[in-house]
Amino acid sequence: MNRHVKINSARIAAQSHFRTLRLGTPFQPRIDALAKTQDWYNWAGYRAPHSLWDEELEYFAIRSQAALFDISPMTKYRIEGPDAEAFLDRVTLRDVTKLRPGRIHYTAWCDDEGFVLDDGTLFRLSPTRFRLCSQERHLPWLLDSAIGFDVTVKEETEAVAGLALQGPTSFAALRDAGFAGVEKLRVFDLADFAHDGSTVTISRTGFTGDLGYELFVPADKALSLWDRLMTSGELHGIRAIGYTALNRARLEAGLIVANADFTTAEHAIRADRLRMPDEIGLGFMIDLEKGHFNGRRAILAARAKCKLRHVLVGLEIEGNIPAEHAIVYHKKSGEVGLVSAAMWSPMAKRNIAIASLARPYGDTVVEDLWVEIYAMRELQYQKLMKRAKVVARPFIKLERRTTTPPADF
Amino acid sequence: MTSFDAIVIGCGHNGLVTAATLATAGRKVLVLEAGKEVGGAARTEEFAPGFRGSSVAHLLNRLHPDVVKTLELEKHGLKIARADFIPSVALSKNGPPLVLHGAYGEVLTGASSSEQSAWRDLRAQLLRYAGILKPFLSRRPPDLDGMSLLETASLGQTALALRKLGKEDMRDFLRVLLMNVADLLDEQLEDIRLKGLLAFDATLGCHLGPRSPTSLLGLYYRLAGETGGAAGAQMLPQGGMGAVVAAIRASAERAGVVIRISAPVAKIVVEKGRAVGVTLDNGEELRASTIVSAINPATTFLDLVGPREIDTGFVRKVKNIRMRGDAAKLNLALDRPPQFTGVDAAGHNGRLVIAPSPDHVERAFNPSKYGEFSQEPVMEITLPSLADPSLAPGGACVLSTVVQYAPYALKEGWVAGKPKFLKAIMAQLEAYAPSIGKSIVHAELLTPADIETRYRMPGGHWHHGELQADQMLMSRPVSSWSGYDTPIEGLFLAGAGSHPGGGVSGAPGLNAAWRIIAMGR
């Protein structure tokens, strides 16, 4: 009886995690201090800010200053070993043998049926060491994929803290923080720099379509890195921001978000929600010339049998009312799709959206498309039928994103 | 060098059947066998000087009639006659045995008259229900993704056959389909010897006890097989199982099949998702547009193709195929024929079963769940040299027995466990055939671990994958890929790991060949 009680109390003690409903990231003390709006959301189990003080101004911090965004909750895997390259070549769509050490590429991966499990960024840290960053968690899938490969796969989401520093003055802030040589980084380059007796990996990447960087440090060096950037960035207008601002910037950049613009295969309950890369604008990643990769057979078959039923497009919509989650019509009558993200773009000066359409609409039939916007006006919907035009993504192209060395704003 | 249309990996009986069928349809076929002999686990081997026996499979009870017909096996030396049918004898320690004569007990002796009439009814019912499932043996499993008109039509015939049973019988068929065999037997029979025998037959070769759910399916699988047109009939082939394989081989070679022995395949060569050839372990590369693997599905994909050429989900499924054998084979060389208590001369020519009751079989099964062998194992015994004296020196005798339960992953390991298990088996034999121990010249016990090594059968499982409800039909060897084709274009499976399963039937091999031909390859 006593033993029973003991085991129970030990178990209860070990279960105390449930008392913390949302985890804090390694940057939480700093973010909490700045969180004037107390506007939180759940990002993969972490307490993450929608906004910190003003979502409009936070957005403009990205476009005119330097915005600091905590990306620690992003799922990160460390993939290491002699077969790491071959392993990732089999798991992901793009040709990993073409990814040189010190480089990053945006990629995606599929299940056997060719449906997208997730998209993410792959960092090649050395010839035999990689970091895979993604929205969802994939450890069982990656471990089962490692069967037959000399490779280890470890989840390092908690161990590694991450920051995105984005905006025109982001380079100046980094330079003034003393990261000598950071000016040499071209888009999708990465390099290690000394920080607080440890190392920070800085890459010229981001989710904004702007000049920007991402920084990864061991969790225990997170706060000193934050302070270092905030200090050096002070005169460059550095501001901490929340997700709402970032989400606008990514939409202008035409970037998609898993489980917002498409449903990942392991989350989809309804069979018609599954998407192949070709159906969400990721067909360019598919490399049929490289060796075998997950989903190859199914993707080839779907292409051959014309079984690709959907297409993801950028839309420009007349007027200035955001068409968020609006239904897309052909000839104002037949439903042909849905808008997954929309905004009035201050940079493009256009009303933009990302939408998923049922082929042939958006593919071969692009004329006479409309969206129906329900605008709430004092407890009444005003229904607006607005013309939509399929346009290329990204919606904005900023020269400063790619100019190397970056200009000193 | 001759070029081939198809290369078949593995010269077990299924590999030979596929090769012969393809060759008959005009393909040039090469069969590659890793070992020094053909036949796989269906061979006749000398296990002691002058003593020969069927190494693993020893009874012919399900060689598919389509195989016999397509390959014209009777022209090539296979003899099947009603006179060859052998009885099943349920041994009893005290008192006379119970005997099922003819094709699975057309006549029952040694039981009360009420039991005889109960058996007549049950036998008829079992054969009727097994008959519903029988057509599935000779075709691809139903394809849930979309079937051809022909496939849909033949599935419709099954539905029709079900309707023909009549309302009551159809309901009962569906009611009992997934039952355990012990419960069904308890509903209809009294005699524990008869129930023991049926419980043994239902679970033979599977990791199931008579009270495990779905164990009745094993009995249906057995009774869906036929010999010489009689369902459930069994015989001891003259010359051992190797003679059956020799007939299939003769048919194959007559059709132009080339067989290479001692040619282990190291790799199936895959280029852009298509199988284009094989590499032998000496580095020699052979090319063909169709590659057929008549070996284990897990070996095929995890070793020969390799996980790099297939999708992760498929690797998961293949790794999850349960294939840990639970049966051992004991071959005894005896200096004189044994005398089983109460059994007459005809009985000694039959299949002698030690499975005194369903409880006994269940108790024998229990330890195997926890990695231990049965202390009082159950077994089926044959004495093939009585009818075929060529198998043993004059006056001597071969005893061939399949024994369970002998879990592949024995907790103490088979090195330590094997002598102990042999002792347990001999104690059982001694109880039914007193002083048999004194006549032993040589004993060869093949545990699942031995069977794995010697016959290249992972887990030492003669079905190449547990034959249970979740690994049958469209789930065999794995779901989505049960129709002999595989995710690798041009690579086909043809072994017992595919539908319908193991035993010397040739059905997987024949179905695979038909599939390959139907695809126009």
Side-chain angles (χ1 to χ4, degrees):
Chain A
M1 187 64 201
N2 261 340
R3 197 171 150 265
H4 181 70
V5 169
K6 225 188 234 167
I7 289 169
N8 258 350
S9 58
R11 274 176 54 183
I12 286 165
Q15 284 169 355
S16 66
H17 65 84
F18 79 86
R19 294 178 201 285
T20 311
L21 294 184
R22 299 277 177 268
L23 293 173
T25 78
F27 299 106
Q28 209 69 41
R30 299 296 183 268
I31 292 170
D32 283 348
L34 296 170
K36 296 197 171 119
T37 56
Q38 293 292 332
D39 181 9
W40 305 101
Y41 77 107
N42 172 15
W43 180 3
Y46 287 88
R47 187 155 53 95
H50 264 137
S51 73
L52 289 169
W53 88 101
D54 183 302
E55 55 186 48
E56 293 294 334
L57 295 178
E58 288 170 38
Y59 163 80
F60 283 105
I62 298 174
R63 293 298 181 215
S64 1
Q65 297 153 244
L68 198 56
F69 180 70
D70 180 5
I71 55 173
S72 304
M74 191 165 61
T75 307
K76 301 177 277 291
Y77 296 102
R78 187 189 182 91
I79 295 158
E80 196 165 7
D83 284 345
E85 180 187 88
F87 163 78
L88 285 161
D89 218 25
R90 191 286 207 100
V91 171
T92 64
L93 296 176
R94 291 180 75 172
D95 188 345
V96 181
T97 64
K98 289 182 186 156
L99 181 66
R100 296 190 311 277
R103 293 285 291 167
I104 296 145
H105 68 205
Y106 170 47
T107 189
W109 48 105
C110 295
D111 63 13
D112 289 27
E113 282 72 45
F115 297 122
V116 178
L117 288 165
D118 211 343
D119 61 348
T121 43
L122 182 62
F123 294 64
R124 186 157 200 170
L125 304 172
S126 85
T128 56
R129 192 153 54 85
F130 293 82
R131 174 176 293 144
L132 183 65
C133 298
S134 63
Q135 179 75 8
E136 302 298 333
R137 293 183 188 266
H138 301 283
L139 194 58
W141 180 257
L142 294 175
L143 290 175
D144 284 350
S145 299
I147 293 165
F149 292 89
D150 185 359
V151 65
T152 57
V153 180
K154 278 195 182 126
E155 162 113 34
E156 56 176 16
T157 304
E158 283 186 53
V160 177
L163 281 176
L165 180 64
Q166 304 279 310
T169 67
S170 56
F171 160 68
L174 284 180
R175 183 200 54 205
D176 291 355
F179 294 116
V182 77
E183 71 282 356
K184 288 189 207 129
L185 291 180
R186 288 164 299 136
V187 172
F188 292 121
D189 275 352
L190 66 84
D192 283 348
F193 297 85
H195 171 69
D196 192 13
S198 181
T199 303
V200 55
T201 301
I202 302 181
S203 57
R204 189 159 166 192
T205 49
F207 209 49
T208 58
D210 215 308
L211 171 64
Y213 299 85
E214 287 172 323
L215 302 88
F216 294 93
V217 276
D220 62 339
K221 304 295 180 189
L223 293 180
S224 63
L225 180 67
W226 180 281
D227 295 342
R228 186 175 172 180
L229 296 175
M230 277 303 205
T231 306
S232 72
E234 195 176 352
L235 294 178
H236 299 288
I238 195 167
R239 294 286 183 276
I241 64 161
Y243 182 69
T244 307
L246 184 82
N247 193 35
R248 293 184 188 182
R250 72 92 187 173
L251 176 52
E252 290 182 314
L255 302 168
I256 58 170
V257 175
N259 288 323
D261 298 295
F262 70 97
T263 306
T264 56
E266 282 181 333
H267 284 252
I269 294 165
R270 297 161 181 87
D272 66 343
R273 304 302 198 272
L274 300 159
R275 290 292 182 272
M276 289 196 161
D278 288 316
E279 297 178 296
I280 54 171
L282 302 184
F284 72 93
M285 293 174 176
I286 296 165
D287 190 337
L288 297 173
E289 294 310 306
K290 73 166 190 170
H292 180 75
F293 58 91
N294 281 339
R296 183 182 190 276
R297 186 193 50 76
I299 289 168
L300 271 176
R303 282 182 174 182
K305 293 176 191 161
C306 297
K307 281 203 168 162
L308 299 160
R309 306 206 186 285
H310 300 92
V311 63
L312 186 139
V313 295
L315 293 180
E316 185 181 332
I317 296 159
E318 68 174 323
N320 61 4
I321 314 291
E324 209 153 11
H325 293 135
I327 293 172
V328 183
Y329 293 90
H330 181 239
K331 295 185 172 170
K332 295 189 182 181
S333 57
E335 273 186 36
V336 297
L338 189 82
V339 169
S340 55
M343 70 184 289
W344 165 259
S345 164
M347 293 292 282
K349 304 283 187 284
R350 293 191 285 166
N351 196 22
I352 61 172
I354 288 175
S356 280
L357 306 186
R359 293 177 197 242
Y361 304 101
D363 180 22
T364 51
V365 181
V366 294
E367 298 301 316
D368 218 349
L369 294 178
W370 300 79
V371 296
E372 188 174 39
I373 304 168
Y374 278 49
M376 181 62 88
R377 298 282 179 264
E378 293 175 334
L379 288 182
Q380 266 187 32
Y381 275 125
Q382 195 176 335
K383 286 187 271 182
L384 312 165
M385 190 62 93
K386 296 287 184 185
R387 189 177 283 279
K389 197 170 86 188
V390 173
V391 295
R393 290 177 295 145
F395 299 100
I396 58 159
K397 262 188 180 163
L398 300 172
E399 214 169 284
R400 62 181 181 248
R401 184 179 91 94
T402 48
T403 306
T404 309
D408 181 9
F409 289 100
Chain B
M1 195 188 150
T2 329
S3 70
F4 294 94
D5 300 317
I7 293 173
V8 178
I9 303 165
C11 198
H13 76 281
N14 277 311
L16 274 172
V17 168
T18 307
T21 311
L22 289 177
T24 306
R27 311 299 193 275
K28 287 167 106 175
V29 188
L30 171 69
V31 186
L32 298 170
E33 167 57 40
K36 292 195 186 76
E37 276 183 66
V38 306
R43 291 182 224 174
T44 305
E45 287 179 296
E46 187 173 67
F47 64 94
F51 291 87
R52 294 187 306 132
S54 304
S55 26
V56 181
H58 63 172
L59 274 162
L60 197 63
N61 66 356
R62 60 178 316 109
L63 185 61
H64 202 279
D66 290 347
V67 172
V68 178
K69 202 172 90 192
T70 308
L71 306 189
E72 301 182 305
L73 294 185
E74 278 163 322
K75 268 196 200 163
H76 292 98
L78 182 73
K79 286 187 194 70
I80 298 175
R82 218 187 140 77
D84 298 330
F85 293 174
I86 59 164
S88 293
V89 181
L91 295 175
S92 175
K93 268 188 221 174
N94 33 25
L98 178 147
V99 185
L100 295 180
H101 300 274
Y104 214 73
E106 287 160 303
V107 174
L108 170 66
T109 59
S112 70
S113 60
S114 66
E115 192 69 358
Q116 286 179 3
S117 95
W119 166 244
R120 258 195 308 277
D121 291 347
L122 177 59
R123 179 180 179 275
Q125 183 194 316
L126 289 171
L127 289 175
R128 211 157 58 234
Y129 294 175
I132 298 289
L133 302 172
K134 188 184 257 182
F136 284 108
L137 296 181
S138 55
R139 59 168 97 115
R140 298 177 78 218
D143 183 353
L144 300 179
D145 277 346
M147 286 187 285
S148 72
L149 201 62
L150 196 70
E151 286 170 322
T152 313
S154 58
L155 199 64
Q157 279 171 8
T158 302
L160 206 65
L162 207 53
R163 288 294 298 270
K164 273 191 194 153
L165 282 177
K167 207 185 216 170
E168 273 310 300
D169 227 14
M170 180 173 78
R171 283 184 180 154
D172 207 45
F173 170 81
L174 295 172
R175 178 182 72 90
V176 303
L177 186 62
L178 298 178
M179 264 178 90
N180 78 54
V181 68
D183 282 345
L184 183 82
L185 297 175
D186 284 344
E187 283 181 8
Q188 309 201 32
L189 300 176
E190 292 290 339
D191 194 315
I192 58 166
R193 295 169 302 164
L194 181 54
K195 290 197 273 188
L197 171 68
L198 293 162
F200 174 82
D201 282 354
T203 54
L204 187 61
C206 279
H207 183 68
L208 287 177
R211 289 203 173 75
S212 308
T214 73
S215 59
L216 178 61
L217 284 176
L219 197 56
Y220 284 159
Y221 185 68
R222 183 186 191 97
L223 296 178
E226 61 181 65
T227 303
Q234 57 190 1
M235 58 179 275
L236 282 168
Q238 284 284 315
M241 203 52 86
V244 178
V245 165
I248 303 174
R249 179 186 183 157
S251 169
E253 288 184 329
R254 176 71 182 267
V257 170
V258 178
I259 297 169
R260 273 180 68 179
I261 55 161
S262 302
V265 172
K267 206 90 201 135
I268 293 171
V269 183
V270 178
E271 288 173 0
K272 295 221 179 306
R274 183 172 302 161
V276 295
V278 299
T279 312
L280 304 187
D281 70 347
N282 64 9
E284 185 183 346
E285 190 173 304
L286 298 161
R287 295 210 155 217
S289 62
T290 299
I291 309 295
V292 184
S293 174
I295 63 167
N296 186 278
T299 310
T300 303
F301 289 106
L302 302 180
D303 298 342
L304 299 192
V305 171
R308 292 170 189 225
E309 297 296 336
I310 45 182
D311 293 342
T312 299
F314 187 73
V315 173
R316 265 184 186 166
K317 287 182 186 177
V318 171
K319 279 194 86 84
N320 286 342
I321 303 173
R322 284 170 291 114
M323 52 172 82
R324 289 178 164 190
D326 214 349
K329 179 75 199 295
L330 174 66
N331 297 313
L332 288 182
L334 305 173
D335 61 16
R336 56 183 178 274
Q339 181 59 53
F340 283 86
T341 310
V343 179
D344 59 9
H348 278 93
N349 277 314
R351 177 174 72 117
L352 308 161
V353 178
I354 300 178
S357 69
D359 280 354
H360 186 105
V361 181
E362 187 71 25
R363 273 197 296 268
F365 171 63
N366 285 341
S368 77
K369 291 183 276 191
Y370 313 106
E372 292 157 20
F373 59 75
S374 316
Q375 290 299 334
E376 291 186 44
V378 290
M379 61 188 93
E380 69 171 22
I381 302 153
T382 62
L383 303 164
S385 62
L386 294 183
D388 182 359
S390 73
L391 297 174
C397 185
V398 170
L399 182 148
S400 166
T401 172
V402 176
V403 191
Q404 57 189 31
Y405 293 85
Y408 169 75
L410 192 71
K411 217 160 44 184
E412 59 178 320
W414 277 112
V415 174
K418 193 165 156 175
K420 295 181 201 167
F421 188 49
L422 182 58
K423 218 171 137 192
I425 301 168
M426 288 316 302
Q428 282 295 96
L429 282 173
E430 196 71 33
Y432 290 88
S435 58
I436 188 174
K438 290 188 198 124
S439 62
I440 294 176
V441 180
H442 180 74
E444 179 193 61
L445 175 60
L446 300 174
T447 66
D450 297 322
I451 294 171
E452 171 180 72
T453 319
R454 194 187 284 193
Y455 301 103
R456 298 167 198 258
M457 302 169 99
H461 200 298
W462 77 55
H463 287 293
H464 286 286
E466 270 288 305
L467 198 61
Q468 292 184 26
D470 64 307
Q471 297 195 158
M472 282 180 174
L473 286 164
M474 49 278 205
S475 305
R476 189 171 188 87
V478 298
S479 59
S480 310
W481 294 103
S482 59
Y484 310 101
D485 23 334
T486 70
I488 307 282
E489 200 189 322
L491 175 64
F492 296 83
L493 290 174
S498 291
H499 171 78
V504 183
S505 74
L510 187 68
N511 292 351
W514 281 342
R515 172 65 177 168
I516 292 163
I517 293 164
M519 286 179 82
R521 298 192 72 90

